[in-house]
Amino acid sequence: MRVAYFDCPSGAAGDMIMASLLDAGVPLAALKDGLEQLALGGWDLRTRQVMKGAFRATKVDVEIDRSAHQHQRSLRDILQILEASGLAPSVKERAARIFTRLADAEARVHGTSRESVHFHEVGAVDAIVDVTGAVLALDLAGVRAVHVSALPIGGGHVAGAHGKIPIPGPGTAELLRGFPVVDTGVR
């Protein structure tokens, strides 16, 4: 069984996971072809080489035409996009599980149901491509299990769709329940 281990000194996001798996050998063309199975036009996946300190890294950016997409979607909207796609059933199921977990976390912190949650940033096309692309890249790499280091958290406040919120955000804190975390001291 192929296992991926992510060392996360700066956290992890879909674009970071895609980039690391591209560096590990996943073909960019296969990743793009798979993501084009989503019924979401008006986006492109771009890669470039960057330097992080003394080290070379691949950076993945999801570039979108913001005028072509609504910015809020419900879990149902996202699940319908995944279900209607031509992606492998295992990729659809894993991506759906991630979005459902996100909806459950948001529902818990807002005191509502997962069906009532409207994703703001997470419902945007770039987030759908990030999450689905990470799942697809893991599948293309043949990864069957994922392990991660302790996840870093900071502190302070940030402006979000619901006004000023603490860091980590309540939804993020809910998602981190049960995971090992490290307070980085970053504010």
Side-chain angles (χ1 to χ4, degrees):
M1 173 188 339
R2 183 169 281 182
V3 176
Y5 176 79
F6 291 103
D7 186 18
C8 303
S10 300
D15 60 337
M16 297 163 74
I17 292 169
M18 283 190 287
S20 68
L21 291 163
L22 289 170
D23 263 350
V26 169
L28 177 60
L31 184 60
K32 282 184 172 183
D33 287 348
L35 287 170
E36 287 174 2
Q37 300 296 312
L38 295 169
L40 294 169
W43 64 270
D44 193 19
L45 200 62
R46 304 275 181 172
T47 62
R48 57 191 163 99
Q49 300 301 303
V50 297
M51 295 299 292
K52 297 292 184 177
F55 300 101
R56 180 212 56 85
T58 296
K59 173 83 171 90
V60 172
D61 294 302
V62 179
E63 297 178 354
I64 64 167
D65 174 1
R66 296 214 181 266
S67 66
H69 300 286
Q70 66 186 35
H71 296 285
Q72 291 187 20
R73 287 185 174 82
S74 67
L75 175 62
R76 181 178 180 172
D77 296 332
I78 295 170
L79 295 179
Q80 287 175 341
I81 290 167
L82 291 169
E83 189 54 39
S85 76
L87 292 165
S90 62
V91 173
K92 290 182 195 182
E93 186 274 326
R94 287 185 191 113
R97 204 169 39 187
I98 291 168
F99 282 109
T100 300
R101 187 152 187 257
L102 288 166
D104 287 344
E106 288 294 322
R108 181 167 166 82
V109 301
H110 291 291
T112 188
S113 68
R114 75 166 61 143
E115 293 78 18
S116 298
V117 169
H118 280 91
F119 291 118
H120 302 284
E121 294 85 359
V122 175
V125 171
D126 53 342
I128 295 170
V129 172
D130 275 353
V131 170
T132 308
V135 172
L136 177 60
L138 288 163
D139 188 71
L140 291 168
V143 172
R144 298 296 168 247
V146 175
H147 300 275
V148 299
S149 66
L151 299 170
I153 58 170
H157 291 86
V158 67
H162 296 289
K164 187 176 175 181
I165 59 173
I167 298 297
T172 301
E174 183 66 26
L175 287 170
L176 290 172
R177 186 189 303 242
F179 280 89
V181 296
V182 174
D183 185 351
T184 62
V186 173
R187 298 292 173 243

